[in-house]
Amino acid sequence: MSCFKCSKYILFAFNLLIWLAGGAILGIGIFMKVSKPDAAVLKILPSEGIQISANLMIAAGVIMFVLAFFGCCGAAKENQCLLSMYFTLLIIVFGVQLSLFIWSMVSKNSLDKNVTLAFEKMDDISADKDFTNGLQPFFKCCGSKADPCAGFAGNVPIGCECKDSDHCKAVSELPTCSAGDGITADTRIYSRACPRVVIDTFKSNSKLALGISIGVLVFQMFGIAISMFVCCKIRSGQSEMLA
């Protein structure tokens, strides 16, 4: 098999992967758009931000679909026009993603401030079922302020009971917590405050997203190189000689 034909098949397979990934991203974006976020999530992430993320994912999915169409058809038909459009769009998308990647790296330090501010806006959370029965068990944390149990009336923890977590401690071991309303000094509760846990969780997930982003950028660089090679071969007329 000639180098040209091999490159053409690789480019087709490459764009088939883009098409599948675009479908997955589009599906996730549509799901985020039509589904109702959990009330506990809305306490720390504004609904506007979630909707913007959904719209961006839908747009990304559609763009990937269009890219895959140009790439697959251009490679299959050896069409220089389609491949040129594909190459140009891929360069633009690569530039936009690289810009977003750099922006996210520069602005990630504002995460602590935004999350902390969202928690500071919460008053007495003792009767807030979304917080006590939703957010706290999910993140395995206790309280809406910097210290455990802070944010509850009288610093009596509600919904913080735990048994098998590595971060469980008795109420008596936590100086900022108090017994009462069925909570005794021996009751074991989550010993970490929610703002710190949420920030650490987001930062941990952002490292995974960072790795995926780098992988996608490298993947796209490969697509740019292979599409440029195939397009140049078609332009020079070598595809006919090597067929």
Side-chain angles (χ1 to χ4, degrees):
M1 182 183 293
S2 69
C3 182
F4 172 77
K5 281 190 174 181
C6 181
S7 300
K8 188 174 73 172
Y9 294 144
I10 290 175
L11 182 60
F12 185 88
F14 173 83
N15 284 283
L16 183 60
L17 291 176
I18 291 180
W19 184 81
L20 294 173
I25 292 175
L26 181 61
I28 295 173
I30 293 175
F31 174 78
M32 291 175 61
K33 186 76 173 178
V34 301
S35 62
K36 184 179 180 181
D38 188 90
V41 174
L42 291 176
K43 289 185 177 297
I44 54 176
L45 294 176
S47 58
E48 294 81 4
I50 296 175
Q51 289 300 311
I52 291 174
S53 299
N55 292 333
L56 288 175
M57 294 191 72
I58 292 173
V62 172
I63 291 173
M64 292 176 73
F65 259 90
V66 174
L67 273 175
F69 171 79
F70 285 132
C72 287
C73 291
K77 300 295 184 181
E78 298 183 17
N79 188 299
Q80 182 183 338
C81 180
L82 287 175
L83 284 175
S84 296
M85 293 177 67
Y86 169 77
F87 177 77
T88 303
L89 286 173
L90 197 57
I91 286 287
I92 294 173
V93 171
F94 178 83
V96 171
Q97 288 182 333
L98 183 61
S99 300
L100 289 174
F101 173 76
I102 295 174
W103 174 81
S104 64
M105 292 296 295
V106 172
S107 62
K108 68 178 182 178
N109 293 328
S110 63
L111 175 64
D112 293 41
K113 179 181 178 181
N114 292 333
V115 172
T116 302
L117 183 61
F119 278 105
E120 286 179 350
K121 292 180 179 179
M122 301 179 189
D123 296 321
D124 183 10
I125 57 174
S126 299
D128 190 338
K129 299 298 182 182
D130 293 328
F131 191 96
T132 57
N133 298 338
L135 189 143
Q136 289 186 149
F138 181 81
F139 285 101
K140 296 183 177 181
C141 60
C142 184
S144 61
K145 308 301 179 185
D147 298 314
C149 302
F152 292 104
N155 283 9
V156 177
I158 305 297
C160 298
E161 296 86 351
C162 66
K163 296 179 181 179
D164 55 358
S165 173
D166 295 334
H167 301 283
C168 290
K169 288 186 178 181
V171 171
S172 58
E173 298 180 69
L174 300 170
T176 55
C177 299
S178 303
D181 295 332
I183 303 297
T184 67
D186 296 325
T187 302
R188 294 180 63 80
I189 62 173
Y190 296 118
S191 60
R192 299 182 299 168
C194 289
R196 187 71 262 164
V197 175
V198 172
I199 291 172
D200 290 344
T201 301
F202 283 168
K203 285 186 174 180
S204 176
N205 291 333
S206 68
K207 291 180 181 178
L208 175 61
L210 174 63
I212 294 174
S213 299
I214 294 175
V216 169
L217 289 173
V218 173
F219 192 61
Q220 286 180 329
M221 289 177 66
F222 171 78
I224 291 171
I226 197 72
S227 63
M228 182 172 61
F229 173 80
V230 173
C231 190
C232 289
K233 287 292 186 181
I234 294 174
R235 176 177 296 177
S236 63
Q238 293 184 27
S239 59
E240 295 181 2
M241 292 185 291
L242 297 173

